[in-house]
Amino acid sequence: MKKTFITVVSMLLVLVLLAACGNSNTQSSSGSEAQGNNSGEKVYKVAYIARAQSDSFAAWLANAVKEEAKKYPNIKLEVFDGQASDDKENSMIENAITNKFDLVIVQPNNGEAQRPYVEKVINAGIFAITTNARISGIEGASTVDADPYEQAGVNARAALDQIPQNAKVVVLNGPSGNFHADKRRESWQKEFFDKRPDVQIVGEQIANWNKDEAMKYMEDWVQANDKIDAVVSMNDNMAAGALEAVKDNAKYSGMLAYGVDGTAEAFQLIKEGKMTSTCLQNAFELAEKLLDTSNKLLTGVEKQIDTDIGNPLITKDNVDEYIELLEKAEALK
Amino acid sequence: MKDNMNWSLFWSTFKKTYSIYLVLLALFIVCSFANPNFLSVNNLTNISTQLAVTTILAFGQTILIISGMLDLSAGSVLALSGVFAVSAYKSTGSFTVAIVTGIVTGVVCNVVNAVMVSTFKTPPFIATLAMLTMARGVALLFTKGQNILQLEDFTILGQGSIGFIPIPVLFLIAFAIITWYLLRHTKFGRSLFAVGGNEEAAAASGINVSKVKYSAFIINGIFVGVAGILFMSRVNAGLPNGAINYEFTALTAAIIGGTSFSGGIGSAGGTLAGAFIVGFLDNIMNLTNVDSYMQQIIRGAIIALAVIYDIRSKNRRTKNTLGRIEDKSGKSGKSGGRRGEPIQEIAKGPH
Amino acid sequence: MEQSIKLRVSQIEKSFPGVKALDKIDFTVKKGSVHVLCGENGAGKSTLMKIINGIHQPDGGQIFIDEKPVKIGSPIQARNLGISMIFQELNYVPEMTVEENIFLGNLPANRFGKVDWKQVRQRTTELLRAENLPYSPTTLLKDLTVSDIQMLEIMKAISYKSDIIIMDEPTSAITHEEVDKMFVKIRELQARGVSIIYISHKLDEIFQIADEITVFRDGTVVESHPREELDIETVISLMVGRKLTNTYPKEEVEIGDTLLKVENLSGAGGYRNVSFHVRKGEMVGFAGLIGAGRTEVMRSLFGLDPIASGHVYIKGRKVTIKNVEQSIKNGMVMLSEDRRRYGIIPMRSVKENTTLSSLKSVFYRFRHHGKVEQDIVSDMFQKMRVKTPSMDTVIASLSGGNQQKVLLAKWMILGPDILILDEPTRGIDVGAKFEIYKLMTELVKEGKVVIMVSSELPELLGMCDRIYVMAKGTITGEISRGDFSQEQIMKYATGSITSNEVNRIER
């Protein structure tokens, strides 16, 4: 009786594992099937090494890159997950070299940690592109990126006029040590806080990009302060969390809130007039440019490319066209 | 002279049982003076609401730790249950379906934990560590790493109130009572203490150890599932990345509340008090805008203090309440070779 | 030969909350003598020894070594003063080697903390050779026997150049032969001028080894005499404070039908074809050397270990017992030999430990009935004379004898028909032993049966109606009360002969 039970359970476990493996197989091969028919033309092997599939923007970008790659019959793309670890990501870059990929796209977990490995890629005679965020100054490596400083900067410059005199603001930061988190905060400092000494920061915490953590901090700040004029958040998730905490509180209906990323939730909040602005980091645009750049490098049109996507500021005025854009791309479900 | 002794005996028992509540009370008073906003009804309601999710997890952990186990997968399974519940709600619009989905998900994951721990004899630490990674992976795979948005009315569970009491707080109270009842008023509760205190002795006393372990995990699964629903409802999103490290917050509450990591000791009231001690501290640090890094240091120090206190009071207990003991038995705390400790006593010898 | 005084304690006092453990103790140990401490558990012997070894600090009084006052703040200070203690139940790491164990906490190291393993090896080899021990410095402890490790502990004490060695029941887990070996060692040490403080419950041993005997009772020294002035009866009466008229309270009980019958039982524990039966009102003993398979048979019978083949009949009905629950349902319970491992839940209260097997009688109608539990337990405790400060005292803080009584109480609540006792009196004091014997007698008078596994022949001979003897996993002999003789049992136990009766059964 007990033995049967154990057997059944083990078999179930194995089945689940097999099913999971089967799944991932079909996913990675889906790109290659598309160009299977186009025999004759040379097919290039491209590795896309994502920072972490568990990070929602990184996941979006990886999916976008996968989709975009289907448009290129001469490119066979494989996606790897760096699991938010320098170690893992570095060894994946090394693996890509060993497995003789023709081009390696690296979305670094931490730019400086991956720099020597990207240099290895170049030295092995393989094309390299770094993206989101770029690792600049590697001889022979191309870069495609959105500039995190600028992403926050467009918000900060708009805020200069929007945030009232002697305002009280709270700041929500990403994990410290994260390139985007640090750059965005730096941008707010230089573009806004240094120019507006009258503004007082009444609360500043690390909410790790998370909605739930931001929500909790905001709830506490609301208790400690009789008014908060603006939420300065380094990403949209945290801004949404802060807004969630005060959504039924009439006193805060006029509060300003800034984010970065351009998530679907942020667009919704901007449309409803709850959030002030965000900057779209458009994964589709990034993916488009990445594949375009890859194609150009592989087919020998150019040797090195450095390019940026735009940093559009999204406000109530233009949010609809971006919602449309994203809806078209099926990002909003 | 004799009275004196009774008094000291009384005091040591009193201290053992109620010291955690005294600490909570003291902290409450200190916080009230530290910041005038602390004592407002709004703020206190706020703290309770914020604590609901992790404290419900902490009750599950308490049950597991008492029986000599633990659940590192709680945060991940919470996210998975929550994400499943949210999508169930979005596709059916039914609260019942959503809640059942969330709870079943929690239970299924924990049955897998129990199979690993009880049937395959994997150490709970490793078994639930595996589940931590797996459950998070499934949640991310299912949502493709994206947040599920626009929960509409589903937020009522996490954001609504009945009268002036927020619904999460009602859940918190209900689960505190359930846990207290389970531990104090059921055979199952008593068996938990026995299994955690000395598994072999419990088995030799006619307790079905495997059944106790399975039940403990299943109950934990229900708790985690409900916590997942509340969490997602409160943040108004299905966050596959939500509740990271919540298991540690929950474990912290349980430990500070006097649940002993060597098993066999713990209570619902202690864990509740432990959770509120952490909650008060977090809150007062945010109210007074203590630096993020400093907060981490302070939180760590509190855990260290709680554990030191746990160990010291345990030592004192064996020395103290001895009655007239030559405490060769005092060593027994260490004995029993639970959890695969390689230490044996000679007395067992090669019989 | 006038011996100088090596250790003297004067007016030592020590209180724990709620109890005075030691009250103005005076006590001296002469150089090069063996001083035995005896007394019931809880009399204060171990507390005093822990004070001398620096584990506890006295509330008052003074300790003198070589007539100079000393303060002993920790076991390390004690070691530096030449005092070593060998504990009754040793904790050791099975994967450690002999040399690592000997120098544990005392490794010779250079300035930078680098251990001088060469020196360790050399000194260990010397010690082993000097003590005539036949194993190498790199042997793992798990490969040694209990007595070997005990010897090792003694060697460790010697390696510290101790001149006072405290031994707390060193023979509680080793065989007679090994005891003799150890006594030779003690004599050697004594000849070198080392003073030995020896704690034991085994009175026959005490009279073999002691130069002087001090008896403790209730935290005071009752009397202290050279061995020649004492005899066993006197010591016992000093210990318990009263004369025990009858060491074994055996009563004649009418014996009825067969209640338990075991046929050709074999199991993975290394026993085979074990057959025996027990009749109503009977007390049956199981004798044999350690490792003969007695415990294994009983564990299987009780459902703790699986049975490979064979049949068990209770009240004439064939029963299948695969776990303890089933055993309890069939009215059979067992008190394990290893109280700490299979008996107590150390950090829980005596109350909870008592009702652990009868939870149904305190948890019903959807709640816990505290009053009912209180009544059941206090009833039992009165009957069994369990001494505990309160019902909520953690069981680990009771003396061994009282713990054992609590565990017995746990089973008595169930009113079992068959009670298996595996070494029920190991490590408990004379008074508690006597009470446990009385309990056993009560039980058989009620028409129940008691099966007692014991390594102490006198108690088997004193209490049992019949004795089965086991050797190497099978029953080699069966003797009825009329024919009891120690010699006969030893012959069966060593496997040198097998009784006709047993042969008949086996055929």
Side-chain angles (χ1 to χ4, degrees):
Chain A
M1 171 65 198
K2 198 171 171 193
K3 249 189 197 151
T4 339
F5 175 67
I6 295 182
T7 324
V8 169
V9 168
S10 334
M11 281 170 63
L12 276 177
L13 273 175
V14 170
L15 263 175
V16 168
L17 281 177
L18 284 178
C21 296
N23 240 341
S24 61
N25 279 343
T26 48
Q27 265 183 7
S28 60
S29 61
S30 62
S32 60
E33 274 165 30
Q35 96 288 110
N37 349 351
N38 290 339
S39 51
E41 197 178 341
K42 172 153 171 63
V43 172
Y44 298 100
K45 273 167 74 189
V46 173
Y48 177 78
I49 300 169
R51 174 169 63 232
Q53 290 281 44
S54 59
D55 165 338
S56 53
F57 182 79
W60 179 21
L61 179 56
N63 289 336
V65 169
K66 247 186 254 171
E67 286 301 312
E68 187 67 21
K70 288 181 187 162
K71 295 180 189 160
Y72 291 82
N74 60 335
I75 288 176
K76 179 178 180 257
L77 180 90
E78 276 187 57
V79 176
F80 300 92
D81 180 4
Q83 296 168 35
S85 144
D86 286 336
D87 237 27
K88 293 216 175 93
E89 180 146 19
N90 291 343
S91 59
M92 278 168 184
I93 299 175
E94 284 182 323
N95 284 345
I97 299 172
T98 330
N99 291 328
K100 301 215 164 71
F101 277 85
D102 298 296
L103 186 146
V104 180
I105 303 172
V106 177
Q107 182 198 15
N109 184 53
N110 165 2
E112 287 316 301
Q114 273 78 57
R115 179 185 292 276
Y117 291 85
V118 175
E119 281 167 352
K120 273 193 197 171
V121 175
I122 300 293
N123 292 341
I126 296 169
F127 289 109
I129 304 174
T130 61
T131 185
N132 183 249
R134 68 158 49 91
I135 308 173
S136 45
I138 299 179
E139 183 93 15
S142 303
T143 65
V144 177
D145 198 13
D147 181 357
Y149 187 94
E150 266 311 299
Q151 290 174 333
V154 291
N155 283 290
R157 283 189 288 269
L160 279 175
D161 301 328
Q162 292 163 345
I163 294 182
Q165 278 295 310
N166 301 317
K168 288 182 173 176
V169 305
V170 292
V171 181
L172 289 161
N173 290 323
S176 96
N178 176 291
F179 179 75
H180 276 245
D182 293 347
K183 278 288 170 202
R184 290 174 187 181
R185 182 67 184 83
E186 182 193 327
S187 173
W188 270 99
Q189 192 62 39
K190 288 195 178 147
E191 300 292 334
F192 181 81
F193 290 115
D194 288 351
K195 295 176 183 167
R196 287 288 302 274
D198 59 298
V199 172
Q200 188 195 353
I201 298 177
V202 293
E204 171 159 12
Q205 292 291 343
I206 294 168
N208 295 314
W209 301 139
N210 287 331
K211 188 177 183 185
D212 54 313
E213 285 182 56
M215 188 172 169
K216 185 176 167 235
Y217 284 125
M218 190 64 187
E219 284 171 341
D220 285 347
W221 286 329
V222 165
Q223 299 302 324
N225 300 284
D226 43 335
K227 99 184 163 127
I228 292 170
D229 297 294
V231 174
V232 171
S233 169
M234 300 309 135
N235 81 347
D236 286 343
N237 264 347
M238 296 189 291
L243 288 169
E244 194 72 41
V246 296
K247 85 171 175 193
D248 299 324
N249 195 331
K251 220 166 103 185
Y252 291 87
S253 56
M255 186 177 72
L256 303 167
Y258 302 91
V260 173
D261 280 349
T263 64
E265 189 174 19
F267 285 178
Q268 198 62 41
L269 288 165
I270 290 172
K271 192 176 158 72
E272 287 167 19
K274 288 180 178 159
M275 191 163 153
T276 316
S277 65
T278 184
C279 172
L280 173 64
Q281 175 169 273
N282 189 345
F284 295 114
E285 198 182 340
L286 260 181
E288 237 168 71
K289 284 220 172 181
L290 276 171
L291 267 297
D292 180 52
T293 307
S294 303
N295 192 36
K296 280 182 185 154
L297 292 170
L298 290 167
T299 51
V301 178
E302 292 192 53
K303 286 263 174 269
Q304 192 186 346
I305 302 169
D306 288 293
T307 176
D308 274 324
I309 58 167
N311 301 304
L313 182 71
I314 319 290
T315 63
K316 201 169 180 182
D317 302 331
N318 63 358
V319 68
D320 283 331
E321 60 185 270
Y322 283 95
I323 290 179
E324 212 172 300
L325 175 107
L326 289 189
E327 262 170 0
K328 214 180 288 166
E330 283 176 328
L332 278 186
K333 284 168 194 157
Chain B
M1 173 73 201
K2 189 138 204 284
D3 279 352
N4 223 344
M5 281 189 166
N6 283 339
W7 169 245
S8 70
L9 191 66
F10 167 76
W11 177 239
S12 67
T13 327
F14 179 81
K15 253 193 345 203
K16 196 178 86 192
T17 327
Y18 298 108
S19 56
I20 183 76
Y21 305 109
L22 296 179
V23 171
L24 181 65
L25 186 69
L27 186 66
F28 183 80
I29 293 168
V30 170
C31 290
S32 308
F33 282 104
N35 191 303
N37 294 314
F38 178 80
L39 211 50
S40 75
V41 174
N42 264 340
N43 188 49
L44 295 177
T45 322
N46 209 358
I47 295 174
S48 314
T49 317
Q50 288 174 355
L51 283 177
V53 169
T54 45
T55 311
I56 291 172
L57 291 188
F59 287 137
Q61 299 283 9
T62 305
I63 288 171
L64 288 172
I65 300 171
I66 285 175
S67 55
M69 307 186 288
L70 86 174
D71 178 16
L72 292 182
S73 68
S76 300
V77 174
L78 181 156
L80 182 64
S81 305
V83 164
F84 278 1
V86 162
S87 19
Y89 180 79
K90 287 202 70 155
S91 50
T92 64
S94 153
F95 274 93
T96 321
V97 172
I99 291 170
V100 169
T101 307
I103 291 177
V104 167
T105 310
V107 169
V108 167
C109 291
N110 276 277
V111 166
V112 175
N113 280 339
V115 170
M116 299 271 284
V117 171
S118 184
T119 309
F120 292 113
K121 310 285 174 220
T122 326
F125 184 88
I126 294 169
T128 58
L129 193 64
M131 180 54 72
L132 175 149
T133 320
M134 281 193 339
R136 185 69 71 185
V138 175
L140 288 166
L141 188 70
F142 178 73
T143 57
K144 301 209 180 77
Q146 300 302 312
N147 299 347
I148 301 172
L149 300 174
Q150 283 153 355
L151 306 192
E152 318 285 338
D153 285 343
F154 193 69
T155 54
I156 190 157
L157 290 174
Q159 299 183 351
S161 343
I162 294 178
F164 60 92
I165 306 176
I167 292 175
V169 178
L170 291 176
F171 271 95
L172 173 60
I173 296 168
F175 277 84
I177 294 172
I178 292 171
T179 310
W180 169 81
Y181 177 81
L182 282 173
L183 292 179
R184 290 290 293 276
H185 281 288
T186 65
K187 276 198 298 184
F188 164 71
R190 194 58 80 75
S191 311
L192 279 176
F193 286 104
V195 169
N198 185 349
E199 190 174 323
E200 285 178 308
S205 299
I207 285 174
N208 188 335
V209 172
S210 163
K211 190 171 137 195
V212 169
K213 288 186 171 177
Y214 267 87
S215 313
F217 268 117
I218 287 169
I219 289 169
N220 180 58
I222 296 172
F223 284 27
V224 172
V226 171
I229 293 162
L230 285 180
F231 176 89
M232 298 307 172
S233 164
R234 196 174 114 76
V235 297
N236 186 15
L239 306 179
N241 268 315
I244 284 174
N245 285 346
Y246 270 38
E247 55 275 358
F248 292 107
T249 316
L251 286 171
T252 307
I255 296 166
I256 292 178
T259 315
S260 165
F261 246 86
S262 21
I265 294 175
S267 68
T271 297
L272 188 63
F276 269 85
I277 288 174
V278 179
F280 284 168
L281 269 170
D282 274 3
N283 180 256
I284 198 71
M285 289 194 293
N286 287 338
L287 290 186
T288 51
N289 205 14
V290 173
D291 175 79
S292 237
Y293 302 138
M294 201 61 209
Q295 290 201 6
Q296 294 184 21
I297 297 171
I298 293 172
R299 240 174 264 138
I302 301 284
I303 300 176
L305 279 177
V307 174
I308 290 168
Y309 180 81
D310 176 43
I311 289 166
R312 284 194 50 133
S313 66
K314 219 178 291 163
N315 286 345
R316 212 176 311 126
R317 210 170 309 147
T318 26
K319 275 185 210 152
N320 255 350
T321 34
L322 291 185
R324 4 190 338 245
I325 294 94
E326 314 205 324
D327 62 355
K328 53 176 66 102
S329 46
K331 279 176 264 161
S332 62
K334 281 185 272 169
S335 81
R338 280 171 21 88
R339 294 194 182 148
E341 288 161 353
I343 294 176
Q344 300 175 350
E345 300 103 359
I346 282 219
K348 274 178 219 151
H351 290 185
Chain C
M1 181 176 77
E2 189 54 44
Q3 291 164 306
S4 62
I5 289 176
K6 179 69 196 169
L7 171 80
R8 186 159 70 83
V9 305
S10 161
Q11 298 290 302
I12 290 282
E13 287 187 278
K14 177 75 185 172
S15 292
F16 296 113
V19 71
K20 187 135 206 176
L22 294 175
D23 192 6
K24 300 207 172 74
I25 298 285
D26 288 312
F27 165 74
T28 55
V29 180
K30 289 181 182 138
K31 189 167 165 42
S33 76
V34 178
H35 197 126
V36 170
L37 295 187
C38 46
E40 293 189 76
N41 281 337
K45 307 169 307 240
S46 294
T47 309
L48 180 63
M49 290 308 112
K50 284 183 177 165
I51 286 174
I52 294 175
N53 198 36
I55 296 169
H56 289 328
Q57 296 308 306
D59 300 334
Q62 184 56 262
I63 302 173
F64 300 87
I65 288 179
D66 296 324
E67 291 299 338
K68 283 190 282 290
V70 290
K71 204 183 161 309
I72 306 172
S74 69
I76 295 170
Q77 279 181 25
R79 191 192 293 166
N80 294 338
L81 289 164
I83 302 169
S84 287
M85 182 154 175
I86 297 164
F87 291 94
Q88 175 185 13
E89 281 142 352
L90 307 156
N91 287 329
Y92 63 95
V93 186
E95 298 294 335
M96 208 178 238
T97 64
V98 166
E99 60 184 9
E100 283 166 345
N101 180 60
I102 289 182
F103 287 93
L104 185 65
N106 198 27
L107 283 166
N110 68 11
R111 251 174 337 126
F112 305 110
K114 186 180 176 303
V115 175
D116 186 351
W117 286 111
K118 226 170 133 186
Q119 193 193 342
V120 168
R121 177 68 48 87
Q122 189 194 340
R123 275 169 60 187
T124 311
T125 315
E126 275 169 21
L127 272 171
L128 288 170
R129 200 171 300 145
E131 304 304 330
N132 221 353
L133 296 174
Y135 31 84
S136 99
T138 51
T139 311
L140 294 181
L141 289 199
K142 64 176 178 188
D143 297 332
L144 298 183
T145 67
V146 184
S147 69
D148 282 338
I149 294 170
Q150 201 103 32
M151 282 295 175
L152 217 57
E153 284 297 312
I154 296 173
M155 270 182 55
K156 213 156 130 183
I158 298 168
S159 81
Y160 299 145
K161 311 226 177 334
S162 307
D163 39 29
I164 300 171
I165 299 179
I166 303 167
M167 301 182 184
D168 190 356
E169 295 206 42
T171 59
S172 61
I174 63 180
T175 63
H176 280 292
E177 207 178 305
E178 292 165 333
V179 170
D180 291 340
K181 237 163 70 186
M182 204 180 73
F183 281 2
V184 170
K185 184 91 242 162
I186 290 178
R187 289 296 174 213
E188 260 175 59
L189 290 172
Q190 194 183 359
R192 289 187 214 164
V194 175
S195 308
I196 313 274
I197 304 174
Y198 189 101
I199 300 176
S200 180
H201 284 126
K202 298 190 178 169
L203 295 177
D204 49 337
E205 262 176 42
I206 293 174
F207 279 88
Q208 271 180 55
I209 194 78
D211 295 319
E212 275 187 273
I213 297 175
T214 295
V215 179
F216 274 67
R217 191 173 73 229
D218 297 335
T220 58
V221 170
V222 186
E223 273 171 49
S224 194
H225 293 290
R227 180 194 57 202
E228 296 78 22
E229 295 170 20
L230 294 168
D231 58 47
I232 290 190
E233 277 69 40
T234 322
V235 171
I236 291 178
S237 64
L238 287 174
M239 274 163 63
V240 298
R242 60 186 185 275
K243 276 266 182 205
L244 286 181
T245 44
N246 199 344
T247 333
Y248 298 108
K250 176 76 185 163
E251 289 181 40
E252 286 307 317
V253 177
E254 197 186 323
I255 290 175
D257 303 334
T258 301
L259 193 65
L260 171 72
K261 194 165 112 192
V262 172
E263 266 180 11
N264 290 318
L265 210 62
S266 300
Y271 60 90
R272 60 202 179 278
N273 294 329
V274 170
S275 302
F276 65 92
H277 65 277
V278 190
R279 290 189 289 265
K280 258 186 191 165
E282 211 179 13
M283 208 180 287
V284 168
F286 272 79
L289 301 176
I290 283 171
R294 295 168 299 164
T295 297
E296 287 76 6
V297 170
M298 296 309 155
R299 283 178 60 88
S300 298
L301 200 54
F302 186 48
L304 282 171
D305 294 329
I307 294 169
S309 65
H311 304 293
V312 178
Y313 302 88
I314 291 176
K315 292 178 181 163
R317 212 164 41 84
K318 190 169 158 191
V319 294
T320 331
I321 293 173
K322 282 188 175 155
N323 57 43
V324 176
E325 276 172 294
Q326 289 171 339
S327 180
I328 291 174
K329 263 185 213 132
N330 283 301
M332 179 161 63
V333 300
M334 168 171 165
L335 198 64
S336 166
E337 55 161 350
D338 194 334
R339 190 166 57 233
R340 296 203 284 143
R341 186 160 171 199
Y342 298 107
I344 62 170
I345 314 290
M347 69 288 283
R348 303 308 301 177
S349 68
V350 288
K351 184 171 68 190
E352 289 184 23
N353 270 282
T354 312
T355 52
L356 191 56
S357 298
S358 39
L359 293 178
K360 272 195 191 114
S361 53
V362 291
F363 292 95
Y364 53 90
R365 273 192 268 118
F366 304 111
R367 69 182 190 93
H368 171 232
H369 296 261
K371 182 75 177 50
V372 175
E373 182 169 32
Q374 195 83 20
D375 289 348
I376 292 176
V377 175
S378 68
D379 239 36
M380 261 303 149
F381 280 12
Q382 231 154 29
K383 233 182 263 173
M384 323 239 341
R385 275 182 260 170
V386 178
K387 277 179 249 162
T388 170
S390 83
M391 297 260 154
D392 298 311
T393 307
V394 293
I395 193 167
S397 64
L398 294 191
S399 68
N402 275 312
Q403 289 183 7
Q404 194 75 313
K405 284 196 230 164
V406 170
L407 294 177
L408 259 173
K410 168 171 83 184
W411 292 131
M412 287 309 104
I413 293 175
L414 295 170
D417 297 323
I418 303 162
L419 177 64
I420 304 169
L421 303 171
D422 194 358
E423 305 285 359
T425 61
R426 176 184 285 172
I428 67 177
D429 57 68
V430 182
K433 264 185 195 175
F434 186 75
E435 276 168 24
I436 286 174
Y437 295 146
K438 278 189 78 167
L439 248 163
M440 290 160 60
T441 312
E442 297 289 316
L443 276 173
V444 290
K445 270 163 79 181
E446 289 168 23
K448 311 196 158 159
V449 308
V450 173
I451 299 172
M452 175 162 69
V453 174
S454 175
S455 296
E456 286 185 43
L457 274 186
E459 79 178 7
L460 286 175
L461 297 174
M463 293 302 298
C464 294
D465 297 301
R466 234 161 6 107
I467 294 176
Y468 288 99
V469 189
M470 283 188 74
K472 293 175 195 146
T474 62
I475 292 185
T476 50
E478 178 188 350
I479 312 173
S480 298
R481 189 164 180 89
D483 311 321
F484 279 177
S485 93
Q486 211 150 332
E487 291 71 30
Q488 195 66 17
I489 290 176
M490 282 322 291
K491 277 182 194 157
Y492 289 141
T494 50
S496 50
I497 60 164
T498 307
S499 79
N500 291 332
E501 219 158 331
V502 174
N503 281 337
R504 198 192 61 218
I505 294 169
E506 280 201 335
R507 243 182 283 123

